Amino acid sequence: MANAARQAGKSNEVLEARVEENGSVKIKGKLADNPKNPIVLVGFSDNRNSDYHKDGWYAYKAVKAAQKKLGFSKMNLVGHSMGNMAISYMIMDYSAKKNFPTIKKQVDIAGHFNGIVGMEKDSPIDSAGKPKKMNSTYQELTKLRQVYPKGIDVLNIYGDTGKKSDGSVYNNSSRSLKYLLIKAKSYKEVKITGKGGQHSRLHENRQVDQVLQKFLWE
C-alpha cells in the first residue's frame, strides 16, 4: 500500500519504525528534502502478542518516536488485521495524553473487533453496528464510545469472499466497528468482494489502494 501511494505520487517519503519488546523504537529511512505525506510503516518485534493493551503501547511508542523525528502534530492511522487492535487500544489508553498527535483520518482494514472465523461464532449486528453477542474483547472496546476523540473521519474496509467473511474474519465482526465509533466525524464502509477480498490479500489489492489514497489525500 505504501509503494502504491508512492508510485501514484501521493507520497515521496516512506520510513520504517520497528518497535522492540522493551518499547525502544528504531526508525529506518532518509527524510526527503521536501516531504510530501510522509508514511511510517510500523512493525513489532513481538508481533504475535495477543495482549492488546501491550500492542496499543507498542503503537504509542512508534507514534511518539515518529513524532519526535518528523515533528508532526496531526496524523492519519491505517491498520490491517491485528494492526486495528493496536490502533484501537492505543487510542483508548493513550490518546488523551499530552502532546498526542491529533488524529485526522483512520482506516481500518479487515478488523476482527468481535470474533474470528473458527474461534467464535458469527454474531449478527443491528443498523448501528451493535453485535447481538459481544465477546470479552469487544466489551472492553466499548470504552471507545466514551473516549474516542472527536473530529476523525473513519474508513472501514472489509472483504467478502462469498461466505460473509474474508476467510478469517466475519463481515459482522469487521462492521461492528461502527457501534464503537459513535464520536467519529464521519464513518464509511467499503466491501471488497471476490478473491481480492481475502483477508491477507486486502493489503495487496489495487482497489483498496485506490480507495485508500482517495480517502487520505484527495
Side-chain angles (χ1 to χ4, degrees), residues 164-178:
K164 296 182 180 180
S165 81
D166 63 13
S168 298
V169 180
Y170 302 113
N171 291 165
N172 284 330
S173 179
S174 296
R175 298 181 66 210
S176 66
L177 177 66
K178 180 180 180 180

Side-chain angles (χ1 to χ4, degrees), residues 24 29 31 99 130-131 174:
S24 64
L31 293 173
N99 296 326
K130 183 179 181 180
S174 296

Side-chain angles (χ1 to χ4, degrees), residues 89-182:
Y89 276 78
M90 175 183 69
I91 291 173
M92 277 203 303
D93 294 346
Y94 301 101
S95 64
K97 282 188 170 292
K98 185 179 180 180
N99 296 326
F100 186 84
T102 299
I103 305 168
K104 301 301 293 182
K105 297 182 180 182
Q106 178 180 335
V107 182
D108 294 83
I109 305 172
H112 54 87
F113 305 101
N114 190 46
I116 299 174
V117 174
M119 296 182 66
E120 293 145 307
K121 291 184 178 180
D122 190 8
S123 174
I125 57 174
D126 63 18
S127 60
K130 183 179 181 180
K132 184 175 182 179
K133 184 176 181 180
M134 302 179 184
N135 64 17
S136 58
T137 297
Y138 193 88
Q139 290 174 20
E140 191 170 40
L141 284 170
T142 58
K143 182 182 176 182
L144 285 168
R145 289 172 58 83
Q146 284 75 48
V147 304
Y148 193 73
K150 294 180 179 180
I152 304 175
D153 293 306
V154 178
L155 174 62
N156 188 8
I157 302 174
Y158 64 98
D160 186 350
T161 55
K163 296 183 179 180
K164 296 182 180 180
S165 81
D166 63 13
S168 298
V169 180
Y170 302 113
N171 291 165
N172 284 330
S173 179
S174 296
R175 298 181 66 210
S176 66
L177 177 66
K178 180 180 180 180
Y179 180 71
L180 301 174
L181 306 189
I182 59 169

Side-chain angles (χ1 to χ4, degrees), residues 43-132:
F44 304 157
S45 292
D46 182 22
N47 62 3
R48 295 187 179 276
N49 186 356
S50 58
D51 179 346
Y52 297 136
H53 285 288
K54 192 164 189 180
D55 294 333
W57 180 67
Y58 289 152
Y60 173 69
K61 299 297 284 187
V63 164
K64 295 304 292 183
Q67 185 183 29
K68 183 178 180 180
K69 187 176 183 69
L70 297 174
F72 56 84
S73 60
K74 300 176 182 179
M75 65 180 178
N76 300 324
L77 298 172
V78 180
H80 173 268
S81 195
M82 278 282 289
N84 298 300
M85 304 305 282
I87 287 173
S88 295
Y89 276 78
M90 175 183 69
I91 291 173
M92 277 203 303
D93 294 346
Y94 301 101
S95 64
K97 282 188 170 292
K98 185 179 180 180
N99 296 326
F100 186 84
T102 299
I103 305 168
K104 301 301 293 182
K105 297 182 180 182
Q106 178 180 335
V107 182
D108 294 83
I109 305 172
H112 54 87
F113 305 101
N114 190 46
I116 299 174
V117 174
M119 296 182 66
E120 293 145 307
K121 291 184 178 180
D122 190 8
S123 174
I125 57 174
D126 63 18
S127 60
K130 183 179 181 180
K132 184 175 182 179

Side-chain angles (χ1 to χ4, degrees), residues 190-205:
V190 173
K191 179 168 71 171
I192 307 297
T193 58
K195 292 182 179 180
Q198 192 272 337
H199 187 76
S200 297
R201 291 184 180 179
L202 282 166
H203 58 74
E204 305 290 342
N205 185 303

